[in-house]
Structure formats: C-alpha cells, structure tokens
Amino acid sequence: MGSACWTGYVEGAVPMSFSEMAAKGSRARAAVVGVDGTAEGERAIRWAAHDAARLGRPLHLLHVCAGPTLVYPPPGLSLPVAGAPRPTTHAARLITDAAVLARQVCAGLDITGETIGGRPIPILLAASEHAATVVVGRRGMGEVGAVVAGSTAVDLAEHAACPVVVVRERRGVGGPNQGRVVVGVDGTAASEAAVAFAVEQAAVRGAGLTAVHAYQLPVDPALGGTLPGYFDLGARSQAAQRLLSEAMSGWRERCPEVDLRLHVELGGPVGALKRASTGAELLVVGTGGRGTLRGLLLGSVSRAMVHHAPCPVAVVRPRTPRAR
C-alpha cells in the first residue's frame, strides 16, 4: 500500500499506517477520509468525522502525495531512475489541519493519520480492505482530489471493499425528503447491502428513510417506440409497488424507530433519484441491478449521481470475505 511519510504530531492524534491499524483489530473498521487541502476535501473531513462520531468509530486521515518521480541520470545512462517521494512540510500540515478540523466536529474522536506516496486509487482501494467507509470530496486540486475528477470516483466505488461516500455541497432545499436519507432499491440481493447501510445511516442520524424504486415501461420498436396495446399499466404499477414493499418489509420490523417512506415512480432512475434526493442528507445506491434498473447501481446512472446528485452519495457493494 505504501509507506507512511507523516511523522508530525497532533495532540490526541497518532501518526500510524493503515496496515498498523488493521493489525490492532479493534481499529480495523475506521472511517478513512482522503485529505487534499481543498474546500471539497474539508467537507469530506467534516462528513467523515460526524459519521465516525455517530457510529463510535476511529477516523483515519489519509493524504496521497505525488510520486515516484523520474530522475534523469547523467549522460551515458539511458534510463531514468524512479525516485521515491519525500515527506514534505506541506503534507504534514495537511494532516495536522485535517485533525484540527475533525476535532472541531468531535473533540473526543480517535484520530490517526498518514501520508503515502503513490497513486490515489490503488492506495484507497487497499485502505478499503480494512475500512468501514472511504470518504472523498467531489473534486479537488490535490492528489487525492484527483480521485474524484471525471469518472474515477465511480471506479473507486466499483472496486472498493467497503462503502465509498462522495461528499459534495448540498444543492436545493425544500425537496420531498428534506433532511432524510434516500436509497435506491431494485429488489435484488445486490441492493440489500445498500439498504442496510441506508437504514444504519438514518438510525444514527435520527432521520427518516425514503426508499425509491423507479420502473420503466417496455416499448415496441416495430410500433415506433410506443407502448404495446396489450400492456397492462395498472398491473405494472402494482408489481413495482409490491416489489418495493416486499424489499423493505423486514426493515420496518427490525428498525421501527426509523420513519420509512416508500416511493415508486414511473420513469428513468436518474430523474427519480435526483428529485428524491433534493434536500436529502444522503443518497445511497448499490452495486448491481436488474434490467433497466441496473442504472440505479453502478453504471451510467451511478456516474450521473456522483457527478450531479444534490447531496452526498454513498455507493455500497456487498463486502466480500478477504483472502486469508
């Protein structure tokens, strides 16, 4: 995963590599947050600190520094030599400032931090093997900020071993789910992990949960893209309502304290999730789906949610057992 470069000291924080944390067992499920010194990165730190405090988890601050760099040798040698990145005062200051910011959220938070040289995605993927969540900002100027430029936030979420939260500034107020958690549901086993994550988030926040299921009607190309005349609109609507109700019925019983709303919408999942998440605390999507609803999970719609959702987005995939 790389070697820790940060050796600075922050009162109440510990310079420690994530592999050392994992070896300690009880620390293995920390919230890991990418630190890059940007405004979006600061939002991610606040989000991760709040989340760690609510769930009683430690917080691990991770800065990825550039490197290795190519150093060209004297004449006579044809190949460049890779030079390992060196710890910098700037990198140490980023971790120090991030720890101070996190302590403003929760003074008693258990905080560790490190700086690692290398490429952001492989390092964050390695951290996800032992993390409860990996949290990154929507965009940034530093190396970790590059993780969420373009489509790479989705790439990170697709392959991470734990939920990935992409934090962005909330846009829009007064939506139908103001202050609630919203989760996309498609009725498959793959979405169960997303629902479980969403229920936990709603419970620890004391917020309501809105489960959204979007469905689309089949069209017949031979009829110019119109709906076949024999199709029963009422039956399709009832089937969608039944799918969502059955998918969430067990959660009503397990977590009666969470105010659960069910929302079924005819149309594409992008529009349904964007409308439902306006003003929401968090939007949660999973990693796989069925038919046209695959877009609710990783794919074109999840990319649209990471880029354009009006609130932070959590992408959740079922955690697979690590090889021993």
Side-chain angles (χ1 to χ4, degrees):
M1 178 173 165
S3 58
C5 299
W6 177 54
T7 57
Y9 176 76
V10 179
E11 183 177 356
V14 180
M16 182 181 296
S17 71
F18 207 82
S19 58
E20 292 173 322
M21 293 179 66
K24 291 184 177 294
S26 62
R27 287 180 169 276
R29 298 302 181 198
V32 176
V33 58
V35 175
D36 65 3
T38 66
E40 293 284 356
E42 289 182 356
R43 291 191 187 96
I45 294 166
R46 291 190 185 94
W47 195 99
H50 277 296
D51 192 57
R54 292 187 190 104
L55 293 166
R57 291 171 176 156
L59 178 67
H60 189 67
L61 308 169
L62 178 59
H63 173 68
V64 181
C65 59
T69 57
L70 295 181
V71 179
Y72 287 87
L77 295 178
S78 59
L79 296 176
V81 178
R86 298 180 178 180
T88 65
T89 302
H90 174 67
R93 173 54 58 184
L94 286 177
I95 295 293
T96 299
D97 291 346
V100 170
L101 181 60
R103 292 220 173 279
Q104 292 174 356
V105 172
C106 179
L109 203 57
D110 183 6
I111 301 175
T112 55
E114 68 177 319
T115 296
I116 301 178
R119 293 179 298 154
I121 289 182
I123 289 171
L124 289 171
L125 288 178
S128 75
E129 290 289 335
H130 303 287
T133 54
V134 171
V135 184
V136 293
R138 166 64 182 84
R139 65 175 72 239
M141 297 175 63
E143 286 81 2
V144 169
V147 170
V148 289
S151 64
T152 48
V154 175
D155 297 332
L156 172 64
E158 182 174 15
H159 299 291
C162 70
V164 173
V165 180
V166 181
V167 179
R168 64 179 306 148
E169 185 177 11
R170 289 184 182 85
R171 297 175 299 171
V173 294
N177 297 300
Q178 182 77 30
R180 299 173 67 87
V181 175
V182 175
V183 60
V185 179
D186 67 1
T188 66
S191 71
E192 291 179 2
V195 172
F197 183 88
V199 169
E200 180 183 53
Q201 286 290 320
V204 298
R205 293 165 182 267
L209 174 65
T210 299
V212 177
H213 176 67
Y215 71 100
Q216 294 172 293
L217 301 177
V219 295
D220 189 343
L223 299 177
T226 61
L227 187 71
Y230 58 80
F231 193 80
D232 189 334
L233 295 177
R236 183 64 185 90
S237 175
Q238 291 174 9
Q241 295 279 356
R242 185 167 56 252
L243 182 151
L244 183 57
S245 179
E246 291 175 354
M248 301 303 297
S249 61
W251 292 105
R252 284 189 185 277
E253 299 171 0
R254 277 179 272 182
C255 300
E257 73 279 10
V258 175
D259 174 37
L260 178 60
R261 297 177 187 170
L262 306 183
H263 176 72
V264 174
E265 183 170 325
L266 171 60
V270 171
L273 291 175
K274 286 182 67 175
R275 285 186 291 273
S277 60
T278 299
E281 285 287 305
L282 179 68
L283 170 64
V284 184
V285 293
T287 60
R290 99 165 63 175
T292 58
L293 292 176
R294 186 175 183 82
L296 274 174
L297 311 169
L298 276 182
S300 61
V301 175
S302 118
R303 291 177 182 270
M305 293 300 98
V306 167
H307 289 298
H308 303 298
C311 68
V313 180
V315 181
V316 183
R317 68 192 298 264
R319 187 183 288 274
T320 55
R322 296 191 298 272
R324 295 184 181 275

